[in-house]
Amino acid sequence: MTNGNGAPSAAGAPPQLNVLAQYTKDLSFENPNAPSSLTPQPTPPQINIQINVGANNLAENEYEVTLSVEGKAESAGKVMFSFELIYAGVFRIVNVPPENLHPLIMIECPRLLFPFAREIIATSVRDGGFPPLMLDPVDFVGLYRQNMERQAAAAQAAQVKPS
């Protein structure tokens, strides 16, 4: 058997990534200043979004990946709405080299979860009386690199710590 370039393919089975489950772990939407927050505002609200990714090993080859999205819209110093969503999935990952496993879990798994989390947030904001909030796509590779750099800097600072 060849790999398409005329060279023999690796003897091992191909890598597999399966989604076993997806679910909302936590969802909160607050509209603390309604109904006044629902009236037309003189300026568009300032919207701040934070996204984090976490993972837990559940069993051999099975991982729970959580995508945490928090957001707040403010106008004239008042909160118009805020939300918090923790959306998760259970993934089975087999035949992936160990050096590729962590990036796969922290980049590809949240990338698969994101469209579903985005829809939940848009619907929640719409049901709260506002236009749907359509989150921009997320660069999970960039987010992964930032987290790895932050962890490396923290580890280096811990080693240099004076006694």
Side-chain angles (χ1 to χ4, degrees), residues 9-160:
S9 63
Q16 290 183 357
L17 170 63
N18 302 101
V19 181
L20 303 180
Q22 293 179 215
Y23 45 93
T24 300
K25 286 190 87 157
D26 184 30
L27 175 61
S28 171
F29 180 85
E30 296 179 20
N31 189 351
N33 292 303
S36 65
S37 62
L38 301 174
T39 60
Q41 303 295 312
T43 59
Q46 176 67 34
I47 299 175
N48 296 307
I49 307 287
Q50 290 187 340
I51 298 176
N52 291 302
V53 177
N56 295 313
N57 184 243
L58 300 176
E60 185 179 359
N61 300 324
E62 291 185 9
Y63 303 86
E64 178 190 51
V65 177
T66 56
L67 182 58
S68 301
V69 185
E70 293 181 39
K72 183 186 288 188
E74 295 179 293
S75 182
K78 287 187 175 183
V79 175
M80 295 182 70
F81 65 82
S82 64
F83 64 86
E84 177 183 348
L85 172 65
I86 301 175
Y87 192 74
V90 175
F91 297 86
R92 179 177 295 133
I93 303 171
V94 294
N95 302 323
V96 172
E99 65 272 13
N100 296 341
L101 187 59
H102 191 257
L104 179 69
I105 291 169
M106 301 303 283
I107 297 169
E108 282 307 312
C109 293
R111 190 185 330 242
L112 292 171
L113 295 173
F114 181 75
F116 299 94
R118 181 178 191 245
E119 176 61 27
I120 292 167
I121 291 165
T123 300
S124 297
V125 171
R126 185 197 67 219
D127 290 350
F130 300 95
L133 177 62
M134 301 305 289
L135 297 178
D136 289 333
V138 175
D139 176 11
F140 287 104
V141 173
L143 186 62
Y144 177 77
R145 287 181 180 151
Q146 284 177 348
N147 287 338
M148 295 307 290
E149 289 170 5
R150 189 171 29 246
Q151 289 175 8
Q156 187 176 21
Q159 289 177 350
V160 179

